[in-house]
Amino acid sequence: MAEVEDLLEGVAVRLAPAEEIRAKGQQRRTRSRAVRMGAVGAAVLVAAGAWALIPSDAPATRQTVATATDNPFRTDGEIQMLRVDELPGYARWHWTESASLPAGAGRRSGPLPQVGLDEACPGSFAVTDSPGQKAYSLVYTGRDHALAQYRVVEYDDTATARSQVADLREEITKCGLRTVTPTVREKEEGSTAWSGTVRDGRTMRVTVRRWNSWVSVAEVMDGVPAG
């Protein structure tokens, strides 16, 4: 093998032939290309793996539920009570607002967790320690002595409202009511509904909705002949 020798300040430098230098350069370029291709391939695999982990209902198609930030129970300082046509059973009972329950209809529900118009759930009327609350209510009467009541209750904080709703659900269950499918509107509002037969044979339906420290309760008692 031919060698080229040069002397630089007394140091001998030996260079390989040109053909050998070109061959080694080609090998380095080949290895560099292989590394780059490997990196690209790895990136493609990572991307493919990431897409494989995305479920079929990807964010582009997944539905989300928006959380309302406006108080649904009070607008411009005014408490929003249900209109007669917004009460369940309006088509059947034709509700009208009433200042009070008709004579002989018993008591209306008071502070939560009381439930049950016409004393349909007398157990819930036991004296309990009731936290501070501001309550607003309307009574409705319908055909065949049907009764309804809508209450909106405001508490000092969300934790108290949540606790009162838990107590209310317990009283509703004790009264013999069971969870039922809410209407489309009630479902959109996040309400929960119960229904069942109470002690006098009538059907009562209760709908409960909570928003932060506010709670609403709608009670509907099917009509039967009085007395």
Side-chain angles (χ1 to χ4, degrees), residues 70-167:
D70 295 332
N71 188 340
F73 302 121
R74 183 171 61 189
T75 303
D76 296 330
E78 182 178 350
I79 303 301
Q80 301 299 304
M81 307 301 287
L82 289 183
R83 302 191 310 269
V84 292
D85 59 343
E86 294 175 327
L87 277 171
Y90 172 75
R92 181 179 183 184
W93 305 117
H94 299 282
W95 303 111
T96 58
E97 290 185 16
S98 177
S100 61
L101 290 177
R107 292 180 293 174
R108 63 193 295 177
S109 299
L112 300 186
Q114 288 183 6
V115 66
L117 282 165
D118 202 3
E119 301 184 11
C121 305
S124 71
F125 282 79
V127 178
T128 59
D129 293 332
S130 179
Q133 54 183 284
K134 297 178 182 178
Y136 314 86
S137 67
L138 277 179
V139 175
Y140 309 82
T141 57
R143 295 190 308 185
D144 297 328
H145 310 290
L147 301 172
Q149 181 179 222
Y150 181 67
R151 288 175 287 171
V152 173
V153 184
E154 177 188 7
Y155 293 96
D156 292 335
D157 53 73
T158 300
T160 302
R162 187 183 296 112
S163 175
Q164 287 293 285
V165 168
D167 292 343

